[in-house]
Amino acid sequence: MNDRKETSDSLKTRQGRKDFLYNIIFESDTPEGKAFDIVLMVCILVSVIIAIFGSTFTAEWLKKTVFFLEYFFTVFFTLEYILRIYCSRNPKGYVLSLFGIIDLLSILPMYLGFFLPQIQYAIIFRCLRLVRVFRVLKLFSFLTEGNVLIQAILASWKKIAVFFMFVVLLVICLGTLMFMVEGNHEGTMFDNLPNSLYWAVVTLSTVGYGDITPVTTMGRFLSAIIMLLGYTILAVPSGIISAAFIRGTGRPVNKRCSNCGRSSHDKDARYCKYCGTRFEDDVDHMD
Amino acid sequence: MNDRKETSDSLKTRQGRKDFLYNIIFESDTPEGKAFDIVLMVCILVSVIIAIFGSTFTAEWLKKTVFFLEYFFTVFFTLEYILRIYCSRNPKGYVLSLFGIIDLLSILPMYLGFFLPQIQYAIIFRCLRLVRVFRVLKLFSFLTEGNVLIQAILASWKKIAVFFMFVVLLVICLGTLMFMVEGNHEGTMFDNLPNSLYWAVVTLSTVGYGDITPVTTMGRFLSAIIMLLGYTILAVPSGIISAAFIRGTGRPVNKRCSNCGRSSHDKDARYCKYCGTRFEDDVDHMD
Amino acid sequence: MNDRKETSDSLKTRQGRKDFLYNIIFESDTPEGKAFDIVLMVCILVSVIIAIFGSTFTAEWLKKTVFFLEYFFTVFFTLEYILRIYCSRNPKGYVLSLFGIIDLLSILPMYLGFFLPQIQYAIIFRCLRLVRVFRVLKLFSFLTEGNVLIQAILASWKKIAVFFMFVVLLVICLGTLMFMVEGNHEGTMFDNLPNSLYWAVVTLSTVGYGDITPVTTMGRFLSAIIMLLGYTILAVPSGIISAAFIRGTGRPVNKRCSNCGRSSHDKDARYCKYCGTRFEDDVDHMD
Amino acid sequence: MNDRKETSDSLKTRQGRKDFLYNIIFESDTPEGKAFDIVLMVCILVSVIIAIFGSTFTAEWLKKTVFFLEYFFTVFFTLEYILRIYCSRNPKGYVLSLFGIIDLLSILPMYLGFFLPQIQYAIIFRCLRLVRVFRVLKLFSFLTEGNVLIQAILASWKKIAVFFMFVVLLVICLGTLMFMVEGNHEGTMFDNLPNSLYWAVVTLSTVGYGDITPVTTMGRFLSAIIMLLGYTILAVPSGIISAAFIRGTGRPVNKRCSNCGRSSHDKDARYCKYCGTRFEDDVDHMD
């Protein structure tokens, strides 16, 4: 009996420890949870900054500090990952969730680095930690309220796909045209077709590096027309997305008044704005 | 009789062959049709990539491969073109259709190349094959559902035309102004008027190559004003197209009055705005 | 009596001549009017192209051709101006109208050139002829139908003015900041404050010449933030003008149904789309 | 009594002087107020221009003029600040208001310059005077009518924050990718990771300095895709702000239900959408 009580106590303690850790790691409303979130965010940001700028440091002591910090953060994030699995109420669900995979991917590179020396490009995985800042800041709730951003892009992807195929055709036509006009010039920068197409993309997208530029009067005249043309054409995706946003945010299509039959009511409307009838289908959301 | 049956069989076989080929080439729901579409798309993409990058290869074996592949694709597309005419249910209609002309244009350059050596610029025609990817992917259905993209651009072309004439005037004014301000400077890049106008277009369109840049304080001050001015002015086409999109998507094209036959009614219209007839087809949506 | 008839005939002839010229010059529906319009447009475009590119020609015969053509066009446009006054039904009104002033201004530079040698910059006035292309093409009707373009810009100029003052403040802050960060560097391109402000405008407007670029890690980090910031900020005028367009084109505010009192009807609506009542105030427009 | 009258007179005079000064400094409808506003605006603009361009002057007499003018403006603005406190009806309120702090900050740098020699960067504070031009021009009323501009940006800041985190992730991915592709090239400009990320921002924001550009065919192909991708992605903030503007301007802010007190109703709403009460204030608009 004493033994059983001990086990029960031990169980309680273990469960208590789990709950204690859960409060720290998963919760963010408690003081401990908030403190942990802040520590985590600082670690993430510092580790990402080190991942990016670490390779540019030349001073010996800085290199050593970076080396030490990378090890420290890897150990820290590994510990955090293990504790998350330990205290999670659904360990399997966590491991297989998007965040579980991101957490794992962002600590793997360091360990693989022991075996594969050319893993320096694994910085992308290390930078995946940044996604976790979204979680800490609960930024995803920004997105999910209405799902406006994602819905707007999804609603317009077909139009954008067609638009891009059209742009690719245009780039090939304009690039070849400029290759014909500028290509014969002595010391020309339009020396082959791929470079001309690259120039066409750089110009149409209004990036304009200036590494390839027309020098003949004819070439400059033509590229001036291309620029103005390109600007108007590239106003199209802006228009597509704007339209998607406005429709996406403006009206929930399926809310319709049972009395006057008119729709285009706001999401938060409880009464028809035209005839004053109460919306029945909204009752369960209200109390 | 035996002979007639033979002919009939032969006719049947021929018709069967035609149908078999039709299923492969024109249909895309059958397994054979799908397989053919995939083969066709790979051929189109590879041939376009070769057309663009072929001229930059320097290794002898690569040149030979490109040369061989170009011949192979020309023969392949020629065969496909002939088979399309052969098995089409309306051969004349196919040849004279947009796609028939594109198919012909995209195989012609290779044959003309035997007679005309300077046909290398015919790459534009070869790249026309890309339009056929639209057909394979049935991307045109994206466009036709609502015709939103085309309608939006058609609806705004008048405004855009006026806008461009205004931009041309502005470019002439600003280019001449900068020519006056920067043109007297020693070793100036604004050495003549066409170059100044070219600079004005490069700046107003926010491309900004940097091949012609102001160096005097006055010129830089003026061009800073031009940049900010230009940005606002070039927000106008974006606004025009956005407005066209939003209006274009707001109205369902297929709502049509049963009395006067006119369409372009708003989504929430219950009566024809031209003749006052009640829309019957809206009743079933309301109760 | 014979004399009086003669005078009358002469008057008739003169009036007939005036009408004949009026039909040619001012009308555009008659065959003569159309032909004259086409001749005029070709002259305008050729004279503008000569005005722009004339100074870059080096060949002796080209210079002479340009010189001759300039004289020819000046005489042509002068004659046209005099004939317009002669056959106009309201000569004073024409001379003082916008087009009358533009017509005069575009022929003056050549004559003033005899007295003032440094009048080469008068090209702006000569290019004013381009505005007349608007008239020939009746492009102004594009604008006046709804006056959408002008109304949209007028409706938003206050917001754009405030926005620009904000941008000027931002440019000063960011330019000074970059001057502090990059200015101490050896051989820096941020050598004084005006250049830093110029850089800030070039960057914020996404023109990006590349004549002044940050080289230190800190400077590049800061300018990366400025670019993304600037992009978002400069989306504001685009948003302002889009919103103005959509409101400007969407609804004539003052059309209101006398039966149900609801507005937001289309411009071409003759019946209320909500209750089917005929609009009374539209009658005079309909017959 | 004589003494008291004198004091009263003196008080009256002082009050009169205060009122006189108040009319000049704070009012802008009276002729004196308008004249003062114009003088003030000229002083602000000249002092800001001197602050920016002063350091670039090399001629001795210009340097001296700038030096003298800076002292003059400092004394002038100090005097104005003291007089504003003196004649203000609520001196404490003025000193602690936004404008009071700006007025103080913009005169402090000159005085601190006596003690701290490296205060030349205090130009930002001196340029704060520009904000006062807003006050003089009563430009803030532009903003407050509808509060459209500020509300639109506030309404979209959450979406923009998420968007920017996404852009940062994208920049890291694309920058690392280009570092892998271009980094191994001899004499490459993608020499370390921070530079690659800087290039990614410069390209995605369509600034395109051209100080770092891809030179390999693979790198150019990839960056062409990044440019087109980037253009579409950066159309998103434009769409967000446009949508916010259109919704922000679509609703009159001051329509408020008399029953439940909630606002943000549509222009065409006749019943409160929250409690179903009929809007009384709309009746007079309808008949």
Side-chain angles (χ1 to χ4, degrees), chain D residues 5 21 37 44 73-74 85 87 112 141-142 174 203 206 218 227 236 238-239 278:
Chain D
K5 202 180 164 242
L21 281 168
D37 276 359
I44 290 170
F73 286 125
T74 304
I85 295 172
C87 71
L112 294 173
S141 70
F142 289 5
L174 296 176
T203 301
T206 76
M218 190 60 204
M227 278 168 216
V236 170
S238 180
R278 206 174 200 281

Side-chain angles (χ1 to χ4, degrees), chain A residues 48 51-53 55-56 120-124 127-128 130-131 133-134 137 139-140 142-143 145 148-149 153 160 163-164 167-168 171 189 191 194-195 197-198 201-212 230-231 234-235 237-238 241-242 245-246 249-250 262 264 266 268-276 279, chain D residues 157-159 161-163 165-166 168-169 172-174 176-177 179-180 184 192-194 197 199 202-215 217 219-221 223-225 227-229 231-233 235-236 238-240 242-244 246-247 251 262 264-266 268-277:
Chain A
V48 168
I52 292 171
F53 293 97
S55 60
T56 62
Q120 54 167 312
Y121 301 133
I123 187 167
I124 289 175
C127 289
L128 272 177
L130 269 181
V131 180
V133 175
F134 278 71
L137 290 176
L139 277 173
F140 283 105
F142 289 4
L143 273 180
E145 45 176 37
V148 178
L149 211 75
I153 288 161
I160 287 170
F163 170 75
F164 265 102
V167 167
V168 167
V171 160
M189 287 176 280
D191 52 351
N195 282 351
L197 300 188
Y198 166 72
V201 174
V202 169
T203 302
L204 272 182
S205 64
T206 76
V207 169
Y209 283 141
D211 51 349
I212 299 175
Y231 195 96
L234 284 169
S238 181
I241 289 174
S242 289
F245 264 112
I246 289 153
T249 57
R262 305 206 54 230
S264 87
D266 285 347
D268 55 351
R270 289 199 234 161
Y271 290 88
C272 173
K273 66 181 176 184
Y274 300 111
C275 68
F279 291 133
Chain D
W157 85 265
K158 276 187 184 184
K159 290 196 204 87
V162 173
F163 169 75
M165 295 218 64
F166 173 69
V168 167
L169 273 176
I172 289 170
C173 290
L174 296 176
T176 314
L177 208 66
F179 181 50
M180 292 184 211
N184 302 314
N192 58 31
L193 196 58
L197 301 189
W199 170 87
V202 169
T203 301
L204 272 182
S205 64
T206 76
V207 169
Y209 283 141
D211 50 350
I212 300 175
T213 50
V215 287
T217 304
R220 288 187 163 180
F221 182 72
S223 59
I225 292 168
M227 278 168 216
L228 292 177
L229 190 84
Y231 196 95
T232 315
I233 286 162
V236 170
S238 180
I240 292 170
S242 289
I246 289 153
R247 270 179 304 145
R251 359 183 112 174
R262 299 191 63 183
S264 88
H265 298 290
D266 284 348
D268 54 351
R270 288 198 239 159
Y271 292 88
C272 174
K273 65 185 178 184
Y274 300 110
C275 70
T277 309

Side-chain angles (χ1 to χ4, degrees), chain B residues 165 172 176 180 192-193 199 203 206-209 220 228 231-232 239 246 251 266 270-271 273-276, chain C residues 52 56 121 123 127 131 134 139 164 195 201-202 206-209 234 238 242 246 266 268 270-271 273-274:
Chain B
M165 294 218 66
I172 289 171
T176 314
M180 291 185 212
N192 57 31
L193 197 58
W199 171 86
T203 302
T206 75
V207 170
Y209 283 139
R220 287 185 165 181
L228 293 177
Y231 196 96
T232 315
I246 289 152
R251 3 182 111 174
D266 283 348
R270 286 200 240 159
Y271 291 88
K273 65 184 176 183
Y274 300 111
C275 69
Chain C
I52 292 170
T56 62
Y121 300 135
I123 188 166
C127 290
V131 181
F134 277 72
L139 278 172
F164 266 100
N195 281 352
V201 174
V202 169
T206 75
V207 170
Y209 283 140
L234 283 169
S238 181
S242 289
I246 289 152
D266 285 347
D268 54 352
R270 289 198 236 162
Y271 290 89
K273 65 184 177 183
Y274 299 111

Side-chain angles (χ1 to χ4, degrees), chain D residues 72-88:
Chain D
F72 170 76
F73 286 125
T74 304
V75 170
F76 176 82
F77 289 125
T78 310
L79 261 173
E80 189 226 346
Y81 182 64
I82 291 164
L83 285 177
R84 265 181 199 273
I85 295 172
Y86 172 70
C87 71
S88 168

